[in-house]
Amino acid sequence: MSATAHDPLAAHDVPAAPHSHDTPDNPLARERAHLASSRAALRAMREDAQSLNIEDVTANWVNAAVLARQIDERIKALADLSDTPLFFGRLDYLHAPGVEQAEGAEGELFYIGRRHVHDADGDPMVIDWRAPVSQPFYRASKKDPMDIALRRRFGYTGGELTAYEDEHLSDPAEAAATSKLLQQEIERPRVGPMRDIVATIQPEQDEIVRSGLGGTVCVQGGPGTGKTAVGLHRVAYLLYAHRERLARTGTLVIGPNRSFLHYIEQVLPALGELTVQQATVDDLVAHVEVRGTDDARAAVIKGDARLAEVLRRALYSHVTMPTEQVLVVRGSRRWRVAAYELEEIVRELLARDIRYGAAREALPQRIAHAVLVQMERAGEAPDDRVQNAVARNSAVKAAVKSLWPQVDPAKLVLRLLTDEAFLAEHAAGLLDEDEQRAILWAKPVRSVKSAKWSAADAVLVDEAADLIQRTSSLGHVVVDEAQDLSPMQYRAVGRRCTTGSATVLGDLAQGTTPWATRSWEEALGHLGKADGVIEELTAGFRVPTDVITYASRLLPHIAPGLTPVASVRENPGFFEVRPAEGTDEVVAACAELLRNEGSTGLIAADARIPALAQALTAAGIGFLAPGEETTRETRLTLVPASLAKGLEYDYVVLDEPQAVVDGEPDERTGLRRLYVALTRAVSGLIVTHTAALPAHLAG
């Protein structure tokens, strides 16, 4: 489509401010007409998919089932969400992209949206935001217009197109200005789960989103920098650019807890991506039932990467060198494999450094091959069937059972944690005596099922399982809030993408576990992606200036040297610290904020949650738990500080900061937890306190 033929704006001087009025001569009417036509085209595309008849296409029922599932996913992906804009921008190119044209030739016009829409003739009406032709929408600037004459942004209210705003990038006379619609979209109040940011992706975010599948990217981003959204949009982009490959290998998003996953679960479906798995690290390593807990010291030691070598030593201690020959009887003939030959076979398998289970499966075939060599020397002509029969011979089986016995990963870990001598033998030179005593269980355990496994124990079992049998690898894994993973948890995640890549998202200042990440270089090493690229996002789009400035007072104490987030929002929001006598003032602050549009979170130390819940109930104010979806009727969420990470609310009441700090095992962790709690607000924050505020917050 050329700008001249289809766009009357090409001949008009359009001001830079948003337009919201509509007259017969105003371009807004034409844009609304294009929106209506695009929605009709999308409905037609969906109806076409629904009408497909595959009865005469597939050769068998398996292919039919696969094709039917693919069609069903296609139909779901083509759903038109009434409250989600079909397109949010427009690009007017000076020239046709990728085509050399004579001077004076007209360019093309493209509408940029969440998915591709075409008309009955196959001509595009909306271009997917991930397509190369859409990239200038995010990256073009006055300095580098990328052949764009005009970039138009659209404003919506309840799914209706109500405004537009233009930037004439190729006009040197027009000064660059901050987009009002962009600011409004970033700051728009929210109710319900996390939204996509596809209309507001910034250039530095877009570079990360569109980075290639082959490399691992680690994103350090402070509160409000959009790192979670960047990670999710990177998944959507990779699925667009490498769909066939990732359809085979799979993608996975890993979050810190179920509440967080529920909060983000609608982002990818809104972008038309329905096949991405979501899980926590605990879900990945669920080989045993977790019913116990560790103290902080034991958890730190169990999460240390040294335990990987302890487990390896303990596992391979089961391999023994032969002292006797193997005698194989076949008919009237007897074939002997001497002990020294068996030892050579065992040592060769150990030297290959393959998985314990794979080596065990190879051992009978190696012994059988030694027998076949003797048969050939004796003039026989054995084939593969003979070798397989020899490998199944009872004498060979007995030898394998003795030399390379089966090992159950859970039983191996259980023995390490309950057998003092066994642990001491295999932890020698790795863990000192105090560290060994710290992880030993105090009471004997009868069986794997009766054991009270901790979350850290389950990770050890996963490590042992991988030593025995290789874990299946996915094409791409995203891990969010990664700063809270232990080295052993990083290894567990890394096992899921050994042949793929990863996107690691986190903030070192928000690490609140005793084993929190000290540096991203170290984390990438544990992940098995030491060559990963580390990117830093420092522009804050979600947290008000006064709030992030106040919270950043903690940075010198919790993450020295980390670059503070700089808020780029035009709306400063509001921030207030209020002394309180008790819970009445806290409830009053919540009631005050609920008069505003959007969501409100009441964040408090975990120990104070029951009292606050009682006070809210007594005041007749309904509230939700983290992860429950807010509604127009119930917009207040009562959030324990331990679950606040990764969540956002338009308004936040933070109760008793010192109690948040005191609720953690040490001050540094407590201050990091407080930093997280302080930075959950998008539009406004009220801090209430009865006790003195932490001295680190003093101006």
Side-chain angles (χ1 to χ4, degrees):
M1 294 184 286
S2 71
T4 303
H6 293 274
D7 181 23
L9 284 181
H12 292 274
D13 181 19
V14 183
H19 301 260
S20 58
H21 57 287
D22 186 11
T23 69
D25 297 328
N26 194 284
L28 188 59
R30 292 183 65 87
E31 301 294 18
R32 285 175 167 167
H34 186 78
L35 176 61
S37 299
S38 299
R39 288 197 183 281
L42 181 61
R43 285 195 299 273
M45 290 170 63
R46 196 165 193 260
E47 290 167 0
D48 286 346
Q50 290 171 326
S51 65
L52 288 174
N53 187 340
I54 61 173
E55 292 180 1
D56 300 326
V57 176
T58 55
N60 55 58
W61 69 269
V62 176
N63 291 342
V66 171
L67 185 56
R69 187 183 72 250
Q70 291 173 341
I71 293 173
D72 185 56
E73 290 175 354
R74 172 67 173 165
I75 292 170
K76 290 178 181 177
L78 290 172
D80 185 6
L81 307 177
S82 59
D83 59 344
T84 302
L86 194 56
F87 57 79
F88 47 82
R90 197 184 89 182
L91 291 176
D92 293 12
Y93 273 82
L94 288 169
H95 309 94
V99 178
E100 294 211 8
Q101 297 188 354
E103 185 176 349
E106 298 171 352
E108 290 189 274
L109 178 156
F110 298 97
Y111 287 85
I112 312 302
R114 286 168 171 78
R115 66 200 67 194
H116 177 86
V117 180
H118 60 254
D119 62 18
D121 296 325
D123 293 328
M125 301 190 71
V126 180
I127 301 294
D128 194 301
W129 66 276
R130 297 166 288 188
V133 75
S134 302
Q135 190 176 50
F137 185 79
Y138 302 107
R139 298 201 193 178
S141 64
K142 281 283 187 179
K143 185 178 293 186
D144 180 15
M146 300 177 71
D147 200 41
I148 300 300
L150 179 142
R151 172 167 54 201
R152 173 169 288 181
R153 299 182 190 275
F154 296 106
Y156 287 83
T157 302
E160 291 296 320
L161 199 164
T162 55
Y164 70 91
E165 178 184 71
D166 289 341
E167 296 173 81
H168 294 272
L169 297 175
S170 60
D171 184 356
E174 183 178 295
T178 302
S179 168
K180 302 295 184 184
L181 288 179
L182 181 62
Q183 286 289 334
Q184 290 171 12
E185 175 63 23
I186 289 174
E187 298 170 13
R188 179 160 58 94
R190 64 179 62 206
V191 173
M194 181 180 178
R195 301 189 301 257
D196 66 72
I197 63 163
V198 67
T200 62
I201 295 173
Q202 298 301 292
E204 63 272 23
Q205 296 173 328
D206 191 62
E207 288 185 21
I208 298 171
V209 167
R210 295 177 191 265
S211 53
L213 177 61
T216 288
V217 179
C218 175
V219 182
Q220 159 63 40
T225 56
K227 58 185 177 295
T228 296
V230 166
L232 294 174
H233 287 70
R234 176 160 154 75
V235 171
Y237 172 77
L238 292 175
L239 286 168
Y240 175 88
H242 308 278
R243 188 167 301 280
E244 185 175 335
R245 176 176 171 184
L246 289 177
R248 296 194 309 270
T249 56
T251 52
L252 172 67
V253 174
I254 301 172
N257 51 57
R258 281 282 150 200
S259 296
F260 178 85
L261 291 176
H262 184 71
Y263 176 63
I264 68 170
E265 67 183 358
Q266 295 303 318
V267 174
L268 289 169
L271 298 173
E273 300 301 342
L274 308 171
T275 60
V276 180
Q277 304 173 61
Q278 293 187 347
T280 65
V281 173
D282 291 343
D283 294 332
L284 299 181
V285 301
H287 304 281
V288 293
E289 183 182 359
V290 174
R291 297 185 295 129
T293 57
D294 289 311
D295 60 42
R297 176 166 166 73
V300 168
I301 297 169
K302 290 178 181 179
D304 194 296
R306 292 174 294 169
L307 267 293
E309 177 59 20
V310 174
L311 286 166
R312 192 196 67 78
R313 290 179 183 179
L315 174 63
Y316 282 92
S317 71
H318 292 79
V319 178
T320 58
M321 292 302 160
T323 57
E324 298 179 354
Q325 66 178 3
V326 170
L327 178 63
V328 176
V329 178
R330 283 185 59 80
S332 61
R333 303 294 300 269
R334 294 171 178 249
W335 310 97
R336 292 176 174 81
V337 182
Y340 78 89
E341 289 184 87
L342 293 173
E343 182 173 342
E344 287 179 358
I345 293 172
V346 170
R347 291 193 182 281
E348 191 270 335
L349 286 173
L350 288 171
R352 287 188 60 193
D353 196 30
I354 58 177
R355 293 297 194 277
Y356 183 94
R360 188 180 190 278
E361 292 173 1
L363 181 57
Q365 290 290 337
R366 297 297 178 87
I367 296 173
H369 178 73
V371 172
L372 259 66
V373 169
Q374 295 182 35
M375 290 180 175
E376 290 170 348
R377 288 172 180 169
E380 296 188 17
D383 56 18
D384 289 345
R385 289 175 298 175
V386 175
Q387 179 168 329
N388 290 333
V390 172
R392 295 191 299 268
N393 183 273
S394 59
V396 174
K397 286 183 177 181
V400 171
K401 184 177 181 180
S402 172
L403 302 175
W404 210 294
Q406 280 189 322
V407 178
D408 178 87
K411 289 181 179 179
L412 176 68
V413 175
L414 184 62
R415 186 179 176 190
L416 274 173
L417 298 176
T418 57
D419 186 331
E420 183 176 356
F422 189 66
L423 176 61
E425 178 184 354
H426 302 298
L430 294 171
L431 304 180
D432 61 33
E433 292 183 3
D434 287 342
E435 289 174 318
Q436 292 175 36
R437 281 193 293 270
I439 65 173
L440 277 168
W441 290 1
K443 297 180 180 179
V445 179
R446 294 181 180 178
S447 67
V448 167
K449 288 187 177 181
S450 64
K452 290 188 175 181
W453 300 99
S454 70
D457 296 333
V459 178
L460 297 180
V461 175
D462 188 69
E463 178 83 27
D466 183 71
L467 287 168
I468 295 169
Q469 198 72 42
R470 184 183 298 276
T471 304
S472 297
S473 175
L474 298 163
H476 192 77
V477 171
V478 175
V479 54
D480 204 351
E481 301 296 347
Q483 74 279 346
D484 281 331
L485 298 186
S486 70
M488 290 299 285
Q489 287 176 317
Y490 276 116
R491 291 175 62 87
V493 173
R495 285 192 281 279
R496 272 74 188 178
C497 56
T498 50
T499 59
S501 56
T503 301
V504 181
L505 311 166
D507 180 11
L508 297 179
Q510 296 186 56
T512 52
T513 55
W515 49 83
T517 303
R518 291 173 293 188
S519 76
W520 292 122
E521 290 83 2
E522 181 180 331
L524 289 171
H526 293 311
L527 193 70
K529 307 292 182 183
D531 57 348
V533 176
I534 301 173
E535 303 283 357
E536 187 171 11
L537 296 175
T538 58
F541 303 98
R542 299 295 296 167
V543 185
T545 302
D546 290 348
V547 173
I548 197 64
T549 300
Y550 185 72
S552 294
R553 294 177 181 179
L554 299 175
L555 283 180
H557 309 285
I558 61 177
L562 202 63
T563 304
V565 172
S567 179
V568 296
R569 292 177 42 161
E570 289 195 345
N571 180 357
F574 74 89
F575 168 62
E576 188 177 346
V577 179
R578 296 181 182 177
E581 297 295 329
T583 57
D584 288 348
E585 287 85 352
V586 180
V587 172
C590 291
E592 176 184 331
L593 293 180
L594 285 170
R595 289 196 286 270
N596 299 310
E597 183 185 359
S599 59
T600 298
L602 170 54
I603 304 177
D606 292 29
R608 290 181 57 81
I609 292 297
L612 291 171
Q614 186 176 4
L616 290 169
T617 301
I621 298 177
F623 59 90
L624 305 166
E628 294 181 332
E629 188 170 328
T630 55
T631 65
R632 295 292 176 186
E633 294 74 29
T634 307
R635 294 181 289 111
L636 176 66
T637 303
L638 181 56
V639 187
S642 62
L643 295 181
K645 193 172 298 179
L647 305 180
E648 282 185 350
Y649 302 93
D650 290 298
Y651 301 94
V652 167
V653 176
L654 174 59
D655 167 71
E656 213 62 72
Q658 188 60 54
V660 174
V661 177
D662 293 341
E664 299 299 326
D666 59 82
E667 184 182 67
R668 183 185 179 90
T669 304
L671 291 173
R672 287 184 168 184
R673 184 76 71 188
L674 177 58
Y675 180 75
V676 171
L678 283 167
T679 54
R680 300 305 94 199
V682 173
S683 298
L685 169 67
I686 297 175
V687 177
T688 60
H689 66 101
T690 302
L693 293 170
H696 308 80
L697 287 175

